[in-house]
């Protein structure tokens, strides 16, 4: 018998587990895969280390920080080594260029591509976003909980919130409601839609203004740098696991949860593949909303709740290309990251229209053998699952379709390294079926596509006593900062108020 069982070791589950262990709970995290981290896990193949998912980080290499994941690391007293950089490359319909985080360099790009009016609009958007950004970070996520105790934990920040009272309401709607009032230049609108899609899986008319305001608070401040965990995303996962275990929590890899045990209308544990049962006072699911519903016995939840959660709209899936290459005599000043957009007119969410390229071995040589580079190319949340559904992964049809659908990623990468194909020593193609298989994701989905102003991400609590949720299907939604915040919310809600206040005193 344990206090809390967490299903899944994604960033949300590990953040939740580490904090609960810090609070003194007996915590067990059950992970189906042999590697912890969910979409953020790393894997090694033939001497190359690859990230399976996110590779763009900010607000993590310093404290105090507004990033909820940094706040989790501070709370559990763990960290990893960080490399810093501030630029990335772009291959867009308007041209090829490198740009930087920070307020000024992008204006130089705008002046060259679009003229002074575009620069003036961007400056005006920054002016409009500044008070909204201040409002978005007025209360640190680590201060929030989902019970009346929030009056005391968040209450200490009430003066800041009152100061920003008139701007808080503007954060609840879609970012497009702010963008439309300031920006008419089509390139800037396309750029902002792209950033929104990378944040939430939706363009500006579906992404919350709060999420974009948080980004502006982080990215467009003086001296800002982007972060990368030395050792890859797995190093960040390892730090969270160390925090969990240091405070007495347990991580069980290769332990697939097949069912949540419900007795007397309460979740009381989980049943693993093979029949073993683990009992707990509380079960927290870090699985997606659709996958969580599959684990709950029929008639354990109100049908209206089930139908509403099942009908949650979903983002599409991913294509992945993991490459290990010979880096000798590359005739290019390589960036760590690149963004490729084929055609703005198609819409930023159109299949195979947006490609992201990550070459993290540029700043972390440990990820590849000497003289080599480790590369991850992917189409984020715009690969239709229906194209792959029902395919036999061993069939010639599947292999051919993998090669065909990967071609857009190869062509994007050829803009960076023209002779990339001849340099390859390792080549792995991942599809929505890969995403579904290794991450246990419903239809390989990026996550819920809940549009700001049209719906709300649910909180951690459920109608089933003893069952809570965290991760990208719960408030505040998709993205590393968001899932870390969801883990904190669930942990803080379970924590005794006194211990929550003590933690706040120590890290804020």
């Amino acid at each position: 018998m344990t206090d809390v069982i967490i299903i899944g070791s994604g960033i949300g589950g590990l953040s939740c587990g580490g904090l609960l262990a810090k609070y003194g709970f007996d915590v067990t995290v059950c992970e189906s895969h042999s590697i912890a981290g969910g979409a953020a896990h790393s894997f090694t193949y033939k001497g190359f280390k690859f990230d399976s998912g996110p590779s763009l980080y900010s607000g993590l290499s310093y404290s105090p920080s507004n990033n909820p994941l940094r706040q989790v690391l501070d709370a559990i007293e763990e960290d990893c080594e960080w490399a810093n950089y501030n630029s990335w490359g772009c291959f867009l319909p308007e041209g090829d260029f490198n740009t930087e985080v920070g307020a000024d360099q992008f204006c130089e790009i705008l002046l060259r591509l679009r003229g002074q009016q575009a620069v003036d609009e961007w400056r005006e958007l920054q002016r409009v976003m500044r008070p909204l950004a201040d409002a978005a970070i007025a209360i640190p996520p680590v201060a929030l909980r989902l019970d009346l105790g929030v009056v005391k934990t968040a209450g200490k920040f009430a003066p800041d919130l009152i100061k920003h009272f008139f701007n808080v309401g503007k954060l609840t709607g879609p970012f497009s409601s702010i963008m439309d009032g300031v920006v008419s230049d089509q390139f800037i609108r396309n750029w902002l839609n792209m950033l929104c899609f990378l944040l939430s899986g939706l363009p500006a008319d579906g992404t919350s203004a709060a999420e974009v305001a948080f980004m502006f608070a982080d990215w467009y401040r003086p001296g800002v740098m982007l972060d990368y965990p030395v050792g890859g995303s797995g190093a960040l996962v390892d730090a969270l696991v160390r925090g969990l275990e240091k405070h007495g929590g347990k991580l069980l890899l290769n332990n697939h949860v097949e069912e949540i045990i419900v007795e007397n209308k309460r979740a009381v544990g989980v049943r693993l593949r093979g029949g073993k049962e683990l009992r707990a006072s509380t079960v927290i699911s870090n699985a997606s909303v659709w996958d969580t519903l599959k684990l709950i016995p029929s008639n354990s939840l109100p049908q209206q709740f089930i139908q509403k959660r099942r009908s949650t709209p979903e983002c599409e899936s991913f294509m992945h290309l993991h490459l290990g290459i010979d880096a000798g005599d590359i005739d290019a000043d390589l960036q760590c990251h690149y963004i490729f957009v084929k055609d703005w007119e198609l819409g930023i969410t159109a299949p195979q229209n947006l490609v992201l390229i990550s070459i993290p071995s540029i700043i972390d040589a440990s990820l590849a053998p000497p003289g080599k580079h480790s590369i991850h190319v992917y189409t984020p949340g715009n690969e239709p699952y229906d194209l792959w559904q029902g395919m036999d992964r061993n069939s010639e049809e599947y292999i051919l379709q993998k090669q065909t659908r990967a071609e857009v990623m190869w062509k994007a990468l050829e803009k960076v390294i023209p002779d990339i194909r001849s340099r390859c020593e390792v080549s792995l193609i991942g599809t929505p079926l890969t995403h579904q298989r290794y991450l246990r994701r419903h239809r390989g989905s990026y996550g819920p596509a809940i549009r700001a102003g049209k719906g709300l991400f649910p909180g951690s609590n459920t109608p089933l006593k003893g069952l809570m949720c965290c991760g990208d299907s719960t408030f505040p939604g998709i993205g590393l900062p968001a899932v870390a915040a969801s883990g904190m919310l669930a942990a803080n809600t379970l924590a005794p108020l006194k211990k929550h206040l003590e933690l706040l005193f120590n890290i804020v």
Side-chain angles (χ1 to χ4, degrees):
M1 180 75 176
T2 188
D3 294 327
V4 181
I5 291 172
I6 297 176
I7 303 170
S9 69
I11 296 297
L14 290 176
S15 296
C16 183
L19 276 174
L20 285 172
K22 170 73 174 180
Y23 283 133
F25 288 84
D26 185 4
V27 182
T28 299
V29 179
C30 294
E31 170 57 49
S32 180
H33 198 2
S34 59
I35 307 172
H41 79 270
S42 292
F43 66 95
T44 300
Y45 186 78
K46 294 186 176 180
F48 294 90
K49 193 163 190 177
F50 298 111
D51 293 337
S52 66
S55 52
L56 188 63
Y57 306 87
S58 63
L60 289 172
S61 62
Y62 60 89
S63 292
S65 168
N66 297 312
N67 190 313
L69 185 50
R70 177 71 256 177
Q71 293 173 12
V72 170
L73 291 170
D74 289 342
I76 63 176
E77 305 159 280
E78 280 294 342
D79 203 354
C80 55
E81 182 182 353
W82 296 95
N84 299 111
Y85 63 102
N86 72 342
S87 65
W88 69 91
C90 297
F91 296 99
L92 306 180
E94 290 81 3
D96 306 339
F97 56 88
N98 293 338
T99 189
E100 299 176 2
V101 290
D104 297 323
Q105 193 267 352
F106 188 59
C107 288
E108 298 174 13
I109 300 294
L110 286 176
L111 184 63
R112 187 170 77 244
L113 293 180
R114 306 295 290 179
Q116 187 60 45
Q117 183 176 341
V119 174
D120 293 342
E121 285 191 8
W122 184 257
R123 292 295 191 193
E124 176 62 11
L125 179 65
Q126 288 181 308
R127 186 193 69 78
V128 169
M129 292 302 295
R130 195 167 296 118
L132 298 178
D134 290 341
I137 61 176
I139 296 181
V142 72
L144 299 177
R145 54 190 291 138
L146 299 174
D147 61 14
L148 292 178
V150 72
V151 175
K152 288 192 174 182
T153 56
K156 62 183 294 187
F157 304 97
D160 287 333
L161 190 61
I162 291 171
K163 183 170 64 176
H164 300 293
F165 178 78
F166 291 104
N167 288 316
V168 171
K170 298 177 183 178
L171 298 176
T172 59
F175 173 64
S176 59
S177 64
I178 297 168
M179 181 179 76
D180 290 347
V182 179
V183 178
S184 61
D185 182 85
Q186 192 57 51
F187 172 72
I188 300 179
R189 292 177 65 86
N190 289 335
W191 179 263
L192 291 169
N193 270 306
M194 179 184 71
L195 292 182
C196 286
F197 181 61
L198 296 177
L199 284 172
S200 73
L202 293 167
D205 61 0
T207 302
S208 76
E211 196 164 2
V212 181
F214 183 88
M215 180 198 70
F216 265 77
D218 193 30
W219 280 25
Y220 296 106
R221 56 183 175 78
V224 66
M225 297 288 282
L226 295 171
D227 310 318
Y228 186 79
V230 174
S233 59
L236 177 56
V237 172
D238 288 345
L240 292 171
V241 172
R242 286 196 304 271
L244 168 74
E245 294 178 340
K246 176 173 65 179
H247 295 292
K250 296 184 289 292
L251 171 63
L252 304 180
L253 298 175
N254 297 304
N255 276 258
H256 178 70
V257 173
E258 288 200 326
E259 186 178 35
I260 294 171
I261 301 171
V262 178
E263 295 175 356
N264 299 318
K265 298 182 179 180
R266 182 181 181 90
V268 296
V270 299
R271 184 172 293 108
L272 304 177
R273 179 180 291 152
K276 182 179 178 180
E277 294 185 358
L278 301 177
R279 297 280 172 150
S281 301
T282 302
V283 176
I284 301 177
S285 177
N286 183 215
S288 75
V289 57
W290 310 282
D291 295 297
T292 298
L293 289 174
K294 296 172 188 175
L295 300 175
I296 302 171
S298 58
N299 301 322
S300 296
L301 286 167
Q303 284 302 307
Q304 184 177 7
F305 175 86
I306 293 173
Q307 291 169 6
K308 183 177 181 180
R309 291 291 184 267
R310 270 190 190 143
S311 63
T312 300
E314 63 193 56
C315 295
E316 292 289 5
S317 190
F318 285 68
M319 286 292 295
H320 295 273
L321 192 58
H322 289 101
L323 305 176
I325 71 164
D326 178 5
D329 300 320
I330 287 183
D331 185 22
D333 181 17
L334 296 179
Q335 300 292 312
C336 181
H337 297 291
Y338 292 88
I339 296 174
F340 166 84
V341 177
K342 186 189 302 180
D343 186 350
W344 294 121
E345 293 298 320
L346 296 175
I348 199 62
T349 63
Q352 302 210 315
N353 194 32
L354 172 66
V355 176
L356 300 184
I357 299 169
S358 176
I359 317 176
S361 52
I362 293 291
I363 56 175
D364 179 7
S366 71
L367 301 176
K372 315 292 183 181
H373 276 316
S374 174
I375 301 178
H376 179 203
V377 191
Y378 56 105
T379 59
N382 59 16
E383 177 66 12
Y385 179 82
D386 289 343
L387 293 178
W388 303 86
Q389 189 171 15
M391 274 195 173
D392 178 356
R393 291 194 299 270
N394 297 313
S395 68
E396 290 186 12
E397 177 191 19
Y398 179 67
I399 294 170
L400 178 60
Q401 181 154 298
K402 283 203 319 183
Q403 294 169 346
T404 301
R405 300 294 291 179
E407 191 61 23
V408 67
M409 297 186 287
W410 282 108
K411 288 182 176 178
L413 192 49
E414 283 174 334
K415 287 182 168 291
V416 182
I417 307 172
D419 60 347
I420 183 65
R421 299 190 201 226
S422 65
R423 291 178 175 272
C424 277
E425 298 177 3
V426 167
S427 176
L428 302 171
I429 300 174
T431 72
L433 298 187
T434 313
H435 217 62
Q436 181 182 43
R437 178 187 180 191
Y438 287 102
L439 301 183
R440 302 291 175 184
R441 297 288 296 187
H442 167 78
R443 292 170 57 88
S445 175
Y446 188 22
I450 299 175
R451 304 184 72 85
K454 304 292 185 181
L456 296 172
F457 279 88
S460 303
N461 295 315
T462 74
L464 179 60
K465 291 181 181 179
L467 176 64
M468 301 179 70
C469 296
C470 67
D472 62 13
S473 295
T474 59
F475 178 82
I478 290 176
L480 281 185
V483 296
S486 78
M488 280 199 295
L489 272 170
N492 291 343
T493 301
L494 283 178
L497 180 58
K498 181 180 178 181
K499 290 190 175 183
H500 188 183
L501 289 169
E502 288 174 357
L503 183 140
L504 274 178
F505 178 80
N506 289 326
I507 70 169
V508 177

